[in-house]
Amino acid sequence: MKERLESLKAEALEQLKNVADAVQLNDLRVKYLGKKGALTEILRGMGSLSAEERPVIGQVGNVVRAAIEEVIERKQQHFQEKETELKLASEKVDVTLPGRPLRQGGVHPLNKVIQEIEDIFIGLGYRIAEGPEVETDYYNFEALNLPKNHPARDMQDSFYITEDILMRTQTSPVQVRTMEAMKGEVPVKVICPGKVYRRDDDDATHSFQFNQIEGLVIGKGIRMSDLKGTLLQFTREMFGSNTQIRLRPSFFPFTEPSAEVDVTCVKCGGSGCRMCKQTGWLEILGCGMVHPRVLEMGGYDPEEYTGFAFGMGVERIAILKYGIDDIRHFYSNDLRFLQQFARY
Ligand SMILES: [Zn+2]
């Protein structure tokens, strides 16, 4: 029996020498040391031994088991280390490789200008009002003192959807909606940014869709000088503290008196250049005192309240501010153009 144990040990150790991986190792463990393994099989025959032989063989059995276990344990450790090494090698990161650049977006130049204008007026105590882009004829024209067949309607070529519904040609309907919502309360102090639509052929300076921002103030004792002071403050924050403005008489159906506002040329500062056609001035917006008819239709007594309104094209402001030569750049989504503004 002792010989059988010794030969089992030799056989097991020999096989363990050539074991290739952890799976094979486990198979051998079961084969030799398992509950139904070879060693257990031999030791089961101890019952037929004499009382003197039993402890001797038992001890030999233990030595054999310990020897096999020791080798298995060593091998196991070896396989584990190898596995860890492989894992580390496969997860190795080359920190010297150059990084992948993150593509970063930017705010569209028109949105930048809109945000900037909004910030200036919010700083002056205005709130922002918005309205639908598909409007009724009433809000877009009639409530703004432009009854049907009024000749001034020809100033704006409109996209009509039905006889009474159109794409708004200006953001002024938001002013009417604001007056209605305020139900005669003062002060009204809003700016209305948004897209407007006109039947224009697209070229370097025209687009069938563009952005406007209008402002409306209504209260007691609001005067033309308040309008002028507001616009001077706005243009100085927008174009620089040396900016001057001038008001030229004009006509709009919804304001009386009305004026066009020019700022000193953003390029030459007023001395005259190609951009301002040597005049030193650039036209940037229209304005006036709210027409009494418009106040009345909005629910305000023109005997008691006065107000002013102004409106500007966002594209025009952006063109002047950034020196852009073609309005179509804003809508073409050309990254070479847009990326120039991503860092501003
Ligand atoms: Zn100039």
Side-chain angles (χ1 to χ4, degrees):
M1 202 162 177
K2 196 177 166 194
E3 283 89 67
R4 278 179 67 198
L5 284 171
E6 289 296 345
S7 80
L8 178 80
K9 178 181 162 193
E11 182 195 321
L13 294 184
E14 187 59 34
Q15 286 200 20
L16 281 169
K17 251 187 221 165
N18 302 317
V19 70
D21 56 36
V23 179
Q24 265 186 28
L25 185 66
N26 197 48
D27 288 347
L28 289 180
R29 181 209 308 278
V30 174
K31 181 177 172 189
Y32 291 106
L33 306 181
K35 269 185 193 161
K36 291 174 182 170
L39 185 62
T40 317
E41 194 65 33
I42 296 170
L43 295 179
R44 202 169 279 157
M46 272 171 61
S48 60
L49 295 174
S50 66
E52 294 83 41
E53 278 175 318
R54 235 178 265 166
V56 180
I57 293 301
Q59 205 184 352
V60 174
N62 285 341
V63 170
V64 169
R65 177 184 293 277
I68 298 174
E69 265 176 355
E70 196 211 322
V71 176
I72 288 179
E73 203 160 303
R74 226 172 42 226
K75 286 272 176 188
Q76 193 159 26
Q77 205 172 352
H78 169 72
F79 285 134
Q80 260 169 11
E81 276 167 17
K82 227 162 119 180
E83 197 183 340
T84 311
E85 254 171 55
L86 276 173
K87 206 171 162 195
L88 283 177
S90 72
E91 289 173 358
K92 196 172 165 191
V93 176
D94 183 353
V95 292
T96 64
L97 280 175
R100 290 192 198 106
L102 286 175
R103 290 168 71 92
Q104 198 175 2
V107 178
H108 191 281
L110 287 180
N111 286 332
K112 266 184 204 299
V113 169
I114 291 171
Q115 281 168 11
E116 200 174 330
I117 296 171
E118 285 178 354
D119 284 348
I120 292 171
F121 281 104
I122 286 169
L124 294 172
Y126 287 67
R127 68 180 180 84
I128 294 167
E130 285 176 332
E133 290 174 24
V134 180
E135 262 297 0
T136 61
D137 187 271
Y138 174 79
Y139 284 111
N140 195 77
F141 287 127
E142 275 189 59
L144 291 158
N145 200 27
L146 276 155
K148 285 212 162 80
N149 303 319
H150 191 290
R153 282 195 181 202
D154 295 340
M155 288 165 71
Q156 302 174 1
D157 276 323
S158 324
F159 286 112
Y160 273 91
I161 293 166
T162 68
E163 204 169 306
D164 247 348
I165 295 173
L166 71 159
M167 303 302 291
R168 68 180 179 196
T169 59
Q170 48 197 356
T171 43
S172 317
V174 185
Q175 299 187 12
V176 181
R177 288 176 178 278
T178 303
M179 283 189 274
E180 276 187 5
M182 292 286 285
K183 292 184 167 48
E185 293 287 310
V186 286
V188 176
K189 225 175 160 191
V190 292
I191 54 165
C192 320
K195 292 188 188 75
V196 300
Y197 303 83
R198 295 188 193 176
R199 275 198 290 132
D200 246 333
D201 288 324
D202 289 5
D203 61 26
T205 52
H206 295 86
S207 168
F208 70 93
Q209 176 216 286
F210 56 101
N211 292 273
Q212 266 193 347
I213 293 189
E214 296 200 3
L216 173 70
V217 173
I218 299 173
K220 277 188 178 166
I222 302 287
R223 295 170 302 188
M224 191 100 184
S225 53
D226 297 317
L227 169 62
K228 196 175 173 185
T230 301
L231 294 177
L232 185 62
Q233 177 69 27
F234 162 68
T235 50
R236 287 189 168 170
E237 286 195 43
M238 197 71 198
F239 296 111
S241 55
N242 292 325
T243 308
Q244 297 291 336
I245 59 170
R246 71 174 183 188
L247 273 63
R248 287 179 288 110
S250 184
F251 168 78
F252 302 110
F254 24 83
T255 47
E256 181 59 35
S258 305
E260 298 274 2
V261 180
D262 299 339
V263 290
T264 40
C265 177
V266 292
K267 199 167 183 192
C268 64
S271 58
C273 69
R274 237 183 55 175
M275 191 175 184
C276 57
K277 299 192 182 79
Q278 309 304 329
T279 62
W281 296 96
L282 296 166
E283 186 187 321
I284 60 154
L285 56 84
C287 66
M289 300 306 289
V290 182
H291 197 288
R293 285 276 300 138
V294 174
L295 283 173
E296 213 171 275
M297 279 189 282
Y300 289 85
D301 180 359
E303 296 295 323
E304 195 176 350
Y305 300 109
T306 50
F308 63 74
F310 55 86
M312 66 194 99
V314 175
E315 281 80 352
R316 170 101 180 131
I317 304 278
I319 280 171
L320 296 178
K321 196 172 167 70
Y322 297 124
I324 293 160
D325 58 0
D326 193 322
I327 196 172
R328 287 168 293 194
H329 287 316
F330 291 125
Y331 317 117
S332 60
N333 289 330
D334 186 337
L335 285 180
R336 290 170 303 176
F337 172 74
L338 296 174
Q339 272 166 353
Q340 299 174 59
F341 302 93
R343 289 183 302 275
Y344 277 102

